[in-house]
Amino acid sequence: MAADGRNHYCRESKMPFRRKIMPFITHWTFIVLLFSASLCSADDDHEMEEFLKREHSLSKPYQGVGSLGSSHWELMGDAMVTTEQVRLTPDMQSRQGAVWSRIPCHLQDWEMQVHFKIHGQGKKNLNGDGLAIWYTKERMQKGPVFGNMDNFTGLGVFVDTYPNEEKHLEAQKKRYTPRTQRIFPFVLAMVGNGSISYDHERDGRPTELGGCNAMVRNLKHDTFLFIRYIRRRLTVMIDIDGQHEWRDCLDIPGVRLPQGYYFGATAITGDLSDNHDIISLKLYQLTVLRSQKEEEEEEEEITIPSVDNIELLISRDKPEEGMSGIAIFFTALFSMLGCIFLIVIGLIVYSHWNESRRKRFY
């Protein structure tokens, strides 16, 4: 009993001490954790900070946009400014328009957020052709690539709303496999060096770095496109579901873009049409903490746009060729003849077997 009493006493004597010290420990643990969290937060803020660059941004009320010398942005073609948007093209055939920055961008790391809208009277796949966001050496040049010149130098991110290749393949009785089939509208990116042509008939597939489907037409909520270039990495995301959440579209490392190029937005219509509207273009400068190794690797000046290992990125899938009408006819004919031949052989074998069986009975 004495031993039990000592043990009980010891347990009782320790418990009050533990109760007294625990709040002290918890208090200091909380302070340490809070301090560590604040350091981590500070490190994250120091890791990457963003600053809106108004001279490279376009937003309401679009004061002076299109006026000579009174704005950082210039209109071209059928583009026009309203109180609600910069309309690149109206919902009319054979129109093209653009808005281009007058000031070259010399930022090393940047992020462009595009608020846009595509809408019109046409039904699905009876509308076109789409819009593009550019960061290129050239500016204010009309052409067939969503209203911009072909063989451009720089980056193009396209919101393609019409499946040219799919219609072309249907006419030739060809098709893509389910793995390579696209759903339109489709967002894709391309880097050009001045000598690479955009393949309009194939919807840019031979030079595509990556992409995703994006059902952006005739939506009642806002639609956004996010383009980030940081540490020579290109990231494109979309927010088109009205949930204020970015969805991954493509993420490509090893993208080399020179500084001093121009931002712009263009659109084009052909036999089919849509309203292509830009509500805002907001460019953010990204301040990124780099290691000494990264700084040394990026010291070399980039003069020509390029992508590392581009041959591994670009899709080379070809559509499966369907059979022509004549081929289908002969295939069906020979299949029928083969079936008839097998049936005849089967009947002959069966008659011989039946006759042999009757002879055994006699």
Side-chain angles (χ1 to χ4, degrees), residues 1-291:
M1 291 296 295
D4 291 341
R6 284 195 298 271
N7 290 338
H8 178 73
Y9 173 78
C10 290
R11 287 196 295 269
E12 289 296 320
S13 65
K14 288 179 181 179
M15 288 302 294
F17 177 77
R18 185 172 296 174
R19 285 197 295 269
K20 290 180 181 178
I21 195 69
M22 280 300 291
F24 179 78
I25 295 175
T26 304
H27 176 71
W28 280 102
T29 302
F30 175 75
I31 293 176
V32 171
L33 290 174
L34 183 62
F35 180 71
S36 300
S38 64
L39 286 178
C40 292
S41 177
D43 289 341
D44 290 340
D45 292 340
H46 185 62
E47 180 74 14
M48 185 175 68
E49 297 179 346
E50 59 182 34
F51 305 93
L52 178 66
K53 305 297 289 184
R54 298 187 182 278
E55 66 272 25
H56 295 293
S57 299
L58 174 69
S59 59
K60 297 177 183 180
Y62 316 114
Q63 186 173 0
V65 172
S67 301
L68 185 62
S70 62
S71 171
H72 297 314
W73 294 86
E74 187 173 0
L75 300 180
M76 184 181 70
D78 298 302
M80 61 180 295
V81 180
T82 72
T83 57
E84 298 298 322
Q85 69 270 318
V86 175
R87 177 151 293 172
L88 301 177
T89 69
D91 190 3
M92 301 174 67
Q93 295 179 336
S94 304
R95 301 300 176 97
Q96 59 178 305
V99 58
W100 283 95
S101 173
R102 286 190 168 107
I103 304 174
C105 177
H106 293 279
L107 302 179
Q108 186 177 13
D109 303 293
W110 49 265
E111 176 183 296
M112 174 67 81
Q113 295 184 17
V114 183
H115 184 186
F116 70 99
K117 187 174 184 179
I118 300 176
H119 56 106
Q121 299 298 319
K123 297 181 180 180
K124 184 179 180 181
N125 292 339
L126 292 176
N127 57 276
D129 283 322
L131 61 80
I133 306 299
W134 303 94
Y135 174 71
T136 56
K137 180 180 179 180
E138 308 86 7
R139 61 182 294 274
M140 301 294 288
Q141 301 290 327
K142 287 187 177 182
V145 186
F146 299 93
N148 191 25
M149 63 178 288
D150 199 3
N151 299 306
F152 59 88
T153 308
L155 170 68
V157 178
F158 312 133
V159 183
D160 192 351
T161 58
Y162 184 76
N164 292 286
E165 184 177 29
E166 181 179 327
K167 301 301 181 182
H168 182 66
L169 292 176
E170 287 178 359
Q172 294 185 338
K173 305 299 182 181
K174 298 178 182 179
R175 62 183 177 86
Y176 271 102
T177 63
R179 185 175 64 86
T180 58
Q181 182 69 44
R182 285 178 175 173
I183 300 175
F184 279 75
F186 194 82
V187 176
L188 65 150
M190 170 183 172
V191 170
N193 59 12
S195 62
I196 301 175
S197 180
Y198 174 83
D199 192 338
H200 182 73
E201 293 297 323
R202 296 195 60 194
D203 298 314
R205 190 184 287 263
T207 52
E208 169 198 326
L209 298 180
C212 62
N213 68 291
M215 310 306 290
V216 296
R217 289 193 70 248
N218 292 335
L219 299 179
K220 295 182 179 180
H221 52 262
D222 294 331
T223 50
F224 298 89
L225 181 66
F226 171 100
I227 307 169
R228 173 181 284 174
Y229 180 67
I230 179 172
R231 290 194 178 106
R232 297 182 179 176
R233 190 180 196 97
L234 176 67
T235 303
V236 176
M237 294 188 286
I238 55 176
D239 176 9
I240 61 173
D241 300 320
Q243 302 297 320
H244 303 289
E245 294 180 356
W246 294 112
R247 174 161 65 89
D248 293 337
C249 185
L250 63 93
D251 186 26
I252 307 296
V255 178
R256 302 172 185 270
L257 298 176
Q259 299 179 31
Y261 283 10
Y262 297 90
F263 285 103
T266 66
I268 192 171
T269 66
D271 294 335
L272 303 174
S273 62
D274 256 337
N275 295 303
H276 298 94
D277 299 337
I278 296 292
I279 291 90
S280 68
L281 298 170
K282 294 184 179 181
L283 182 73
Y284 294 88
Q285 178 182 5
L286 302 180
T287 302
V288 184
L289 182 64
R290 284 176 165 79
S291 65

